Amino acid sequence: MRVDVLTLFPEMFQGPMTESMLWKARDRGLLDLRLHQIRDFTTDRHRTVDDTPYGGGGGMIMKPEPVVAAVEAVLADAPPGTPVILMTPQGRVFSHQIARELARYEQIVLVCGRYEGIDDRVRQLVITDELSIGDYVLTGGELPAMVVIDAVVRHIPGVLGAEGAADRDSHADGVLEGPQYTRPPVFRGLEVPRVLQEGNHAAVARWRREEGLRTTWRNRPDLLLRARLSDDERYLLAKFAREDAGKR
Ligand code: ADE
């Protein structure tokens, strides 16, 4: 998969994109990451990328010409239908499902905004989607772009071993993953749950689902409204609710 990133700060991608899983994906030819300096697409002597906002208000706005020129240059040899995604706090909220959908494309383009925003004509002319990574405002779209790349790349076949299949992740089906343990069997008096030590696969799967459900109930009850649950699982939720009522 090819990912083109348009940014004023390509150096920010050193480190996150050259370590661990992402480096392995690039090394194996599964991820072709190309960073483009938006400033290289300016045509004036001062290489200007920003200007003051029409209508006043503080801050600087990214000028449309270099961003649109950069997008058009990248799209010149991209497959038709390649998504051009603006990272912005005004976008729809990024999720596991969106990551999985994006991983199906041969190529995607991520545009990182900076300063107080980007001239809206960029969105009108070349942007196909706008993504936010959460309900808070960062100083730019670079960290969000790295978050999107990391989450998308995990869905490319061959990036994770079979053991780490992304379809079993937290968020894959609306129920979070439960707790995990490794050796030693007892640490500071806390024992690894018996069922995990005994290794009965069906019992382990049942325990994991129940504990995942418990974690979701405790930390993200909002997810349960959309989760696909069996009758047994609904029964368990009712049990957690009774336990909570007993604590109050
Ligand atoms: N740029 C600034 N804040 C952002 C956010 N939360 N998501 C995506 N891009 C952003």
Side-chain angles (χ1 to χ4, degrees), residues 119-136:
D119 187 292
D120 196 61
R121 288 166 292 187
V122 173
R123 186 187 61 78
Q124 297 173 42
L125 288 167
V126 294
I127 297 298
T128 62
D129 201 357
E130 299 163 82
L131 291 179
S132 163
I133 61 161
D135 294 341
Y136 39 82

Side-chain angles (χ1 to χ4, degrees), residues 39-104:
R39 202 177 289 279
D40 291 345
F41 294 85
T42 53
T43 51
D44 64 314
R45 207 156 55 86
H46 299 289
R47 294 170 42 97
T48 314
V49 291
D50 59 348
D51 205 340
T52 52
Y54 272 106
M60 296 295 271
I61 305 300
M62 282 173 74
K63 289 168 67 59
E65 305 95 318
V67 184
V68 168
V71 171
E72 285 174 349
V74 166
L75 287 182
D77 52 15
T82 295
V84 181
I85 301 164
L86 177 64
M87 303 312 304
T88 164
Q90 285 95 43
R92 59 192 183 114
V93 179
F94 186 57
S95 66
H96 188 85
Q97 279 67 32
I98 295 174
R100 195 167 52 197
E101 283 161 30
L102 290 179
R104 297 202 194 103

Side-chain angles (χ1 to χ4, degrees), residues 131-192:
L131 291 179
S132 163
I133 61 161
D135 294 341
Y136 39 82
V137 179
L138 300 167
T139 50
E142 283 76 13
L143 288 169
M146 289 184 240
V147 167
V148 167
I149 294 166
D150 192 297
V152 169
V153 165
R154 297 180 69 257
H155 290 274
I156 301 174
V159 170
L160 302 181
E163 284 302 301
D167 287 338
R168 284 212 317 270
D169 285 340
S170 286
H171 297 294
D173 69 350
V175 176
L176 302 175
E177 281 186 278
Q180 303 273 15
Y181 296 86
T182 185
R183 274 179 282 269
V186 182
F187 175 67
R188 299 203 179 180
L190 297 175
E191 188 176 7
V192 173

